[in-house]
Amino acid sequence: MVVSLDDTKRNAIAVKLASLKVLQQLVLENEKQLLQQGLDSEISDRIRDFIKDDEKNLGILETVIGQYGIQAEPKQTVREFVDKARKMFQGSELSLYEKVSQHELLKHQVVMSGLIVHKAAQKVGADVMLAIGPLNAINFENRAHQEQLKGILEILGVRELTGQEADQGIWARVQDALAAVSGVVGSAVTQNSDKKDMNIQDVIRADHSKVNTLFTELLQSNDPQKIQEYFGQIYKDLTAHAEAEEEVVYPRVRAFYGAADTQELYDEQAQAKRELEEIKALSPSSPQFKEKVKQLMDAIGDHIRQEESTMFAAIRNNLSSEQTEQLATEFKAAKKKIQEKLGVVSEAKS
Ligand SMILES: [Fe+2]
Ligand SMILES: [Fe+2]
């Protein structure tokens, strides 16, 4: 029996993540537009800060999608919404207040999508929670932006209706609201703003720990359907990870890690690939299934230990931090391409 690699819930979350990404892109476009509208300096400064956060968050979101392991198209209705919203925002029918008001609604939509993905992940599995972890910081920042947008709306709204300035104290109230939000979400914002770019070791390590979680989930389950679901994700994750290593990382480290050790890594991955195909051909309810998965997990475990000890040490000793960050970018891009080749999912037809 051939195991289907499709899983409805996982694909639905992938579509939601892709939708979140186009919404986040629209957020950025809008903010850049707003900056050209001759706003007062307090408001412009805040919008410039939003742009900085949103650019960083878009990058984090792309990493999360790669880590999640399924590339998807955004939902059709979201794409239509984005087109319409973009036109309205660039047009001249809306007053400045109305534009900012639309923008605040858009932020709300982004926040809710992020929260829904977070809640849905809790229902699907520990590996999904792990992959989408960084979303929490994005959700928090968008919530914080929303509170500030309310302050901006108050200023612009009063000005448009009366030609006068709103009462003092708006920013103090915004500050209180931000404190209340951060009380709920904790220190997510500081974690996020301190975050350095991920280097290749960080990205590889994150993939390794995700696949370990998936193996554990699979072996703990006795439900053939769940077992199939976990295996489907292991298959996709290991394939994308291994091929991206072979394309980007191994050729790069060979010179200083040594031809023999590098070749060993290639050979181990070729072996793992054969085993993956063997398992894929088995029924998840057959007794050999878990046995084979266990063997694969042990072999992968040895391979991972080698990469994280000696290969990482060689990388640390031979590449600069800029080079390891650049390698991470190349690795993520290669992985994305491979994931797309494995199938870009779009929203369910039903
Ligand atoms: Fe590897
Ligand atoms: Fe690896």
Side-chain angles (χ1 to χ4, degrees):
M1 174 202 153
V2 174
V3 176
S4 152
L5 297 182
D6 281 340
D7 183 83
T8 325
K9 288 170 296 181
R10 282 172 190 267
N11 288 349
I13 291 178
V15 170
K16 197 79 180 163
L17 282 170
S19 302
L20 190 53
K21 185 177 150 188
V22 288
L23 291 172
Q24 182 75 28
Q25 282 166 330
L26 179 64
V27 160
L28 257 174
E29 277 178 44
N30 284 358
E31 285 164 356
K32 287 177 183 163
Q33 278 263 320
L34 282 176
L35 263 194
Q36 331 231 309
Q37 313 263 337
L39 294 157
D40 9 338
S41 65
E42 167 83 58
I43 296 178
S44 300
D45 286 348
R46 282 176 192 263
I47 291 175
R48 262 190 288 275
D49 286 343
F50 292 174
I51 292 175
K52 251 195 273 161
D53 293 343
D54 284 320
E55 272 167 352
K56 187 184 60 193
N57 287 340
L58 186 59
I60 294 174
L61 190 53
E62 279 163 355
T63 306
V64 164
I65 292 172
Q67 190 63 21
Y68 183 69
I70 304 171
Q71 298 288 336
E73 297 284 356
K75 212 173 168 213
Q76 179 65 27
T77 49
V78 173
R79 269 190 303 222
E80 286 164 10
F81 166 80
V82 166
D83 287 343
K84 231 183 284 165
R86 181 183 290 124
K87 259 187 220 125
M88 281 233 291
F89 213 82
Q90 289 173 356
S92 52
E93 307 101 85
L94 296 184
S95 70
L96 188 52
Y97 169 83
E98 286 166 333
K99 283 187 179 176
V100 176
S101 172
Q102 289 299 318
H103 191 60
E104 200 259 332
L105 285 172
L106 177 62
K107 272 279 174 196
H108 178 76
Q109 206 177 342
V110 172
V111 168
M112 284 315 296
S113 300
L115 288 176
I116 298 298
V117 169
H118 177 72
K119 293 288 170 195
Q122 292 173 335
K123 295 282 167 194
V124 180
D127 62 293
V128 178
M129 287 296 288
L130 197 65
I132 65 129
L135 259 191
N136 292 337
I138 304 181
N139 292 343
F140 171 77
E141 286 197 340
N142 280 325
R143 271 294 279 117
H145 290 180
Q146 242 188 310
E147 290 307 324
Q148 298 177 70
L149 283 165
K150 288 181 197 165
I152 297 175
L153 276 174
E154 194 173 324
I155 293 170
L156 296 177
V158 170
R159 203 179 281 162
E160 267 182 34
L161 286 176
T162 67
Q164 288 175 298
E165 288 308 301
D167 283 343
Q168 297 285 306
I170 291 175
W171 296 122
R173 268 180 283 123
V174 165
Q175 213 42 50
D176 289 346
L178 286 177
V181 173
S182 77
V184 176
V185 195
S187 57
V189 75
T190 45
Q191 283 169 17
N192 200 10
S193 54
D194 291 347
K195 204 161 191 154
K196 294 193 285 89
D197 279 344
M198 286 174 103
N199 62 25
I200 186 65
Q201 299 98 302
D202 298 328
V203 180
I204 289 182
R205 204 181 289 112
D207 281 0
H208 289 167
S209 84
K210 188 189 170 205
V211 84
N212 273 330
T213 305
L214 276 163
F215 275 125
T216 309
E217 285 178 309
L218 188 154
L219 292 171
Q220 280 170 353
S221 175
N222 288 312
D223 173 356
Q225 215 176 334
K226 284 303 268 184
I227 290 176
Q228 174 174 319
E229 171 189 334
Y230 292 133
F231 178 72
Q233 195 61 47
I234 289 172
Y235 183 95
K236 281 183 225 173
D237 284 356
L238 278 181
T239 303
H241 177 83
E243 287 184 18
E245 281 181 341
E246 290 177 13
E247 205 179 302
V248 172
V249 184
Y250 296 171
R252 188 67 196 278
V253 304
R254 193 195 293 269
F256 51 79
Y257 184 49
D261 283 337
T262 308
Q263 191 54 45
E264 197 183 329
L265 294 176
Y266 275 105
D267 294 344
E268 286 168 358
Q269 293 198 160
Q271 175 61 24
K273 202 168 173 53
R274 281 191 292 274
E275 287 174 28
L276 268 179
E277 295 303 330
E278 273 174 42
I279 300 170
K280 190 178 164 190
L282 294 171
S283 158
S285 48
S286 82
Q288 303 127 282
F289 194 93
K290 273 196 181 178
E291 217 172 279
K292 288 260 185 200
V293 167
K294 182 78 181 56
Q295 281 169 16
L296 176 65
M297 182 180 100
D298 291 341
I300 298 275
D302 289 339
H303 179 83
I304 285 177
R305 271 186 293 279
Q306 184 182 341
E307 287 181 346
E308 293 192 4
S309 56
T310 56
M311 186 182 82
F312 280 11
I315 290 175
R316 261 197 314 276
N317 293 332
N318 291 280
L319 297 180
S320 68
S321 40
E322 291 78 37
Q323 286 171 317
T324 58
E325 281 162 22
Q326 177 58 28
L327 206 52
T329 306
E330 289 168 27
F331 179 80
K332 283 189 279 186
K335 221 173 73 175
K336 178 166 188 261
K337 268 210 201 115
I338 298 155
Q339 286 167 343
E340 281 167 352
K341 208 177 64 195
L342 288 169
V344 177
V345 303
S346 38
E347 99 191 80
K349 298 283 177 291
S350 60

